[in-house]
Amino acid sequence: MRKSRLAWIILFISFQSPLKSQYNDYAYRFFGPSFSNYGTLGIVNAPSARFHPGGTIGFSWSHNQPYLRGSLIAYPFDWFEASYQYADINNYLYSPYKEFSGGQSFKDKSFDAKFRITKEGDRIPAIAIGFRDLAGTGIFAGEYVVANKAFRNLDISIGLGWGALSGGDEINNPLIKLSDRFRTRDIVVGGEGGEFSIDTFFSGPAAIFWGIEYTLPFLHGATIAAEYDPINYQIEGLSKLKNIDSKFNIALKYPISDAIRLRIGVTRGHTLNFSFSYNKNFGTRDPYNIKNDPPKAVPYPEVVKELTSADVERAYKALLLYLKERDIKLQSADINNDVLALTYAQNAYFEKMRGLGRTLRIADQIAPDYIKNFEFTQTNADIALFTADVPRESFSRYKDQKMHEPLLRDITINRTSNPRKDHAFQPSVEWPLIVNSFVPSLQNQVGGPDGFWFGQLDIKAESEILFSRTVNLSTTIGYNIWNNYSDLKLESSSVLQHVRTDVNRYLRASINSPFINNLQGNYFFNPAGDLYGKFSAGILERMFGGYGFELLYKPFDSLWGIGIEAWRVKQRDYEMQFSFLDYETTTGHLSFYLREPKTGIFLNISGGRFLAEDSGIVVDLSRQFKSGMNIGAFFARTDISKEEFGEGSFDKGIYFNLPLQIFNKNYRTKQTGFSIRPLTRDGAARIKHNFNLWSITTSASRWKLYKDLETIYE
């Protein structure tokens, strides 16, 4: 009866004449889909076939007794939703042994994924396939296929669920017709977690679930949601819920803004449910703030131009002065007939084409009129990243309208060896140069038998000393302001060398004294063409010091690269000063990098020996957006067994990096990152070191430069 009633509702709505668009726009304001209690887009408990645009990052928090859940959600594409779930299951203890974890409740971590099959059209619904608890303990494991169709301000969802999502109206599993393996489902709960239980996917009983969302007119996007609960409470969780008064859940969703959504509702007929969510698309260029540092005009440029036309030496010094005022460092310059060639370094603009454009603007304003062509080379650590040949007349013609597309026809961008030493003008530099900054730092440790959350607030002094263009020393010294790490008691039980799982000891030991995070000396070199190199030595990271090298072959016109690195390292003492423990080892990797040009997908495969002397590969897949943000995931497999690796079975995680200029009124080059590993284990652990060659040579790529060309007039 329920199914036939729903069918009549859908049929009735489908044949109604459309409201006038003017009234629709006036009466309803749509803020997009919202997150469910399970941290993915959905109704209340049920998933939907809706997706946010690619480049969106979301956070969701919900309280639906007995679950308190936090979720981080990312959309590398508008057809792929990936989420990391952290749930506090407060009707089940972390351990039955009070001396181990006291009365702390059980914590569970898992990954979810959803893929769009069809995009909604006039006659077809949006359809998606999804997986809950894809690589976790299996407590919430389930699969589903769901469809959505919007009719004006009403969005209808109907789906078919398996596993923990088989709590709707049960039907015979339609996949039994394909294979008998789908007839029964082996429930895999607990264990080491982290494994893909592929044999259980879409097996066992199946059930239909459905839901609706109705946007109320004239109420700022407020939405009423109702659903037929898809959760099978005899399968989900560790302590099964039996007190279910109703299979219908209802909720009121209210958008505080485009990004923030609140929800209050009732589930299971008696449980009050709260949730808060935030989502924002960071994929577009400068999505947050209009910048306050547009290109600056040179005062009285015609007067300056008269002086530079009369004396070449004055032209060089004027370039040095006005570029310095824009945080662009002139390395050398040379005027030969009608060509102005120069090399420069800049750390003010994230997009290197924006830095090139600012340099071209200065030269165009003050260079003598007889200069017809610019040959500008950007360098980093005295390594030439690219050279742009720009006709002056073309740059000026399109400048006011910011028309970068026609400029593309007239300029050429290549990579050659650094021409600095061949230039007539080379400004003197007083070495060493010192750059200092002070930044706060917050470290987190979430989940574990000792407690739900541990944190540490530090103040860090970051310093870079440049002894020459190719030699520097980077240092980070920290001092703890506040932490609650004294409550960390449980020591690592790992059977491998404790190269990462002794993190608690390092955190506790640094409570009352300054600590050295890194003290790394570097020498950069460019032995030939597209081959880059780096030697480093010192305190490389929090847990290890040592020495080693990195080489990278990265052709300018190609979308791939090959790198190799090797390190001899020794484990640091827990106080993180200058003392070391006995353990030392050699670690190294061979890496392959590949970029797909249309989507910006980036693949990095590395194989070699890890810190705990296990061997294997790491696969890292990410996507970069116009804003400079990248979203990625990784996993590692080594020659140790699941039992040796411990809980989690193998190393994996997700991450995203955001340029700080997204949130700032001025352009910036630094990035901030956020990464999640479900667990800290010793297997597949790699050495961390500053100035990764692939990162610092990112602009030595034709693809990257042409991708950012639209910023040249900004």
Side-chain angles (χ1 to χ4, degrees):
M1 178 65 70
R2 264 190 219 106
K3 295 179 201 172
S4 62
R5 217 169 27 232
L6 177 62
W8 277 109
I9 291 172
I10 295 173
L11 190 63
F12 174 77
I13 294 170
S14 300
F15 282 94
Q16 298 307 298
S17 59
L19 292 173
K20 292 182 179 178
S21 60
Q22 294 90 337
Y23 175 80
N24 215 31
D25 295 340
Y26 175 70
Y28 306 109
R29 186 174 178 191
F30 298 98
F31 286 82
S34 60
F35 296 110
S36 71
N37 284 325
Y38 288 79
T40 56
L41 289 177
I43 315 299
V44 182
N45 284 339
S48 72
R50 299 302 181 196
F51 291 80
H52 281 305
T56 299
I57 299 292
F59 169 79
S60 172
W61 175 92
S62 68
H63 186 197
N64 186 36
Q65 191 67 16
Y67 306 131
L68 183 67
R69 184 186 305 269
S71 305
L72 178 67
I73 310 100
Y75 296 84
F77 300 91
D78 59 5
W79 49 263
F80 177 37
E81 176 186 74
S83 63
Y84 170 80
Q85 318 286 338
Y86 190 91
D88 180 355
I89 304 173
N90 52 45
N91 65 343
Y92 198 87
L93 291 178
Y94 195 98
S95 167
Y97 305 103
K98 188 174 180 64
E99 62 273 17
F100 180 70
S101 57
Q104 188 191 168
S105 57
F106 190 87
K107 309 298 187 299
D108 183 69
K109 304 168 186 175
S110 62
F111 288 100
D112 290 9
K114 183 172 70 177
F115 304 88
R116 188 178 67 207
I117 299 174
T118 66
K119 197 171 186 178
E120 184 176 14
D122 292 338
R123 296 181 180 273
I124 62 171
I127 301 176
I129 184 171
F131 304 83
R132 281 188 180 171
D133 205 350
L134 183 61
T137 57
I139 294 172
F140 301 100
E143 304 82 49
Y144 59 90
V145 177
V146 62
N148 272 74
K149 191 74 178 75
F151 303 92
R152 305 171 193 154
N153 57 314
L154 179 65
D155 195 16
I156 297 177
S157 174
I158 185 166
L160 187 62
W162 290 262
L165 285 158
S166 62
D169 289 331
E170 187 170 327
I171 64 171
N172 291 327
N173 188 343
L175 297 178
I176 294 174
K177 296 179 181 179
L178 299 177
S179 172
D180 208 49
R181 85 157 185 87
F182 294 108
R183 188 175 299 279
T184 58
R185 186 182 185 96
D186 295 326
I187 305 300
V188 181
V189 176
E192 297 297 345
E195 300 177 82
F196 296 96
S197 302
I198 297 175
D199 290 343
T200 68
F201 288 172
F202 303 101
S203 62
I208 294 173
F209 61 86
W210 57 269
I212 60 172
E213 292 187 276
Y214 179 77
T215 301
L216 299 167
F218 309 109
L219 286 178
H220 190 66
T223 301
I224 292 177
E227 69 178 16
Y228 190 62
D229 199 337
I231 304 303
N232 187 335
Y233 293 102
Q234 300 309 305
I235 294 177
E236 182 187 81
L238 292 168
S239 182
K240 312 306 179 185
L241 299 178
K242 296 180 173 61
N243 184 18
I244 311 298
D245 292 345
S246 173
K247 288 292 293 180
F248 290 93
N249 302 327
I250 59 171
L252 174 66
K253 303 180 179 183
Y254 187 78
I256 302 298
S257 67
D258 288 341
I260 300 173
R261 188 84 53 104
L262 301 178
R263 188 183 76 230
I264 183 170
V266 176
T267 61
R268 303 190 292 273
H270 55 68
T271 303
L272 196 61
N273 170 218
F274 301 94
S275 88
F276 161 88
S277 65
Y278 171 89
N279 63 268
K280 188 71 178 178
N281 185 358
F282 295 100
T284 58
R285 185 87 68 190
D286 298 337
Y288 256 67
N289 293 305
I290 298 174
K291 300 299 181 253
N292 286 338
D293 55 349
K296 297 178 182 177
V298 173
Y300 309 107
E302 294 304 321
V303 175
V304 178
K305 193 180 293 185
E306 283 186 23
L307 296 173
T308 61
S309 299
D311 187 343
V312 172
E313 196 67 24
R314 286 179 179 174
Y316 296 148
K317 291 181 178 178
L319 286 166
L320 178 67
L321 172 64
Y322 289 112
L323 288 174
K324 183 179 179 181
E325 290 181 354
R326 276 78 175 168
D327 293 323
I328 298 170
K329 303 171 184 64
L330 183 68
Q331 305 294 296
S332 66
D334 190 79
I335 293 177
N336 187 3
N337 297 323
D338 63 350
V339 177
L340 168 61
L342 60 81
T343 65
Y344 68 96
Q346 66 89 12
N347 198 32
Y349 305 104
F350 183 80
E351 292 87 0
K352 301 305 180 283
M353 287 291 97
R354 182 177 282 116
L356 172 64
R358 299 291 175 102
T359 307
L360 287 166
R361 280 179 180 268
I362 296 299
D364 186 42
Q365 292 178 73
I366 67 175
D369 288 331
Y370 61 81
I371 297 295
K372 304 301 180 186
N373 289 281
F374 298 130
E375 292 181 1
F376 289 180
T377 301
Q378 181 172 338
T379 65
N380 190 1
D382 211 34
I383 296 172
L385 300 179
F386 66 89
T387 297
D389 294 341
V390 184
R392 184 177 188 175
E393 191 274 333
S394 296
F395 180 78
S396 299
R397 182 192 310 152
Y398 307 122
K399 179 173 60 178
D400 293 338
Q401 290 76 30
K402 298 183 178 180
M403 298 169 63
H404 66 276
E405 293 94 344
L407 179 65
L408 181 61
R409 297 193 299 262
D410 298 337
I411 70 173
T412 58
I413 301 176
N414 292 295
R415 185 182 180 278
T416 60
S417 57
N418 191 349
R420 177 182 62 83
K421 293 181 180 179
D422 297 327
H423 287 172
F425 178 72
Q426 298 184 43
S428 59
V429 181
E430 293 185 6
W431 307 104
L433 298 177
I434 302 175
V435 180
N436 294 310
S437 63
F438 291 88
V439 294
S441 173
L442 179 65
Q443 297 186 67
N444 295 280
Q445 183 164 309
V446 182
D450 290 320
F452 175 69
W453 179 84
F454 293 93
Q456 175 172 312
L457 179 63
D458 301 324
I459 185 72
K460 289 184 176 179
E462 296 181 345
S463 174
E464 183 178 357
I465 304 174
L466 286 84
F467 296 100
S468 71
R469 289 183 172 89
T470 59
V471 178
N472 74 351
L473 176 69
S474 63
T475 307
T476 303
I477 298 174
Y479 187 81
N480 178 238
I481 298 174
W482 173 89
N483 73 81
N484 61 346
Y485 286 141
S486 58
D487 295 329
L488 287 170
K489 304 179 183 67
L490 189 67
E491 300 296 340
S492 170
S493 59
S494 174
V495 298
L496 301 176
Q497 178 67 34
H498 295 183
V499 295
R500 292 297 181 220
T501 56
D502 274 349
V503 60
N504 292 357
R505 293 191 175 190
Y506 286 92
L507 295 172
R508 289 197 304 264
S510 63
I511 288 176
N512 297 315
S513 61
F515 58 90
I516 301 171
N517 216 56
N518 75 285
L519 184 67
Q520 178 180 322
N522 306 282
Y523 167 64
F524 302 94
F525 57 98
N526 182 203
D530 296 312
L531 183 64
Y532 308 91
K534 179 189 76 170
F535 288 114
S536 299
I539 297 173
L540 303 175
E541 51 150 279
R542 178 163 56 187
M543 298 185 186
F544 282 89
Y547 58 89
F549 74 91
E550 184 183 5
L551 288 173
L552 173 66
Y553 178 66
K554 180 183 179 183
F556 181 79
D557 289 311
S558 298
L559 297 166
W560 57 272
I562 297 175
I564 186 171
E565 58 181 293
W567 306 89
R568 183 64 182 175
V569 295
K570 193 168 185 177
Q571 191 162 7
R572 297 178 63 192
D573 192 62
Y574 304 121
E575 283 76 15
M576 289 193 287
Q577 300 289 331
F578 293 100
S579 299
F580 290 83
L581 303 176
D582 292 334
Y583 180 72
E584 58 183 314
T585 188
T586 299
T587 179
H589 287 83
L590 178 67
S591 298
F592 174 71
Y593 307 90
L594 180 65
R595 178 82 66 183
E596 197 288 312
K598 291 185 179 180
T599 61
I601 292 176
F602 177 65
L603 173 67
N604 175 207
I605 301 176
S606 297
R609 191 188 199 209
F610 298 94
L611 285 171
E613 300 186 348
D614 50 328
S615 298
I617 65 167
V618 180
V619 178
D620 188 318
L621 193 65
S622 62
R623 185 188 182 196
Q624 187 176 87
F625 295 85
K626 275 192 172 184
S627 64
M629 178 189 74
N630 65 311
I631 300 174
F634 65 89
F635 72 88
R637 287 289 194 177
T638 73
D639 57 0
I640 57 175
S641 66
K642 292 183 292 185
E643 291 73 24
E644 289 175 296
F645 185 89
E647 185 180 356
S649 299
F650 65 96
D651 194 31
K652 54 194 168 295
I654 60 175
Y655 63 89
F656 60 86
N657 298 306
L658 290 167
L660 289 178
Q661 68 180 16
I662 288 177
F663 310 100
N664 203 284
K665 294 290 186 182
N666 296 327
Y667 293 110
R668 294 287 185 269
T669 55
K670 289 189 176 181
Q671 290 181 289
T672 182
F674 187 84
S675 63
I676 291 179
R677 273 182 163 92
L679 293 159
T680 299
R681 307 302 301 172
D682 295 313
R686 298 181 67 176
I687 194 71
K688 300 174 184 176
H689 54 93
N690 287 345
F691 304 104
N692 169 269
L693 284 181
W694 184 270
S695 297
I696 69 172
T697 62
T698 181
S699 294
S701 163
R702 187 181 302 280
W703 173 85
K704 174 63 176 172
L705 295 169
Y706 279 101
K707 181 175 178 289
D708 291 338
L709 187 65
E710 64 186 75
T711 66
I712 197 167
Y713 286 124
E714 294 177 357

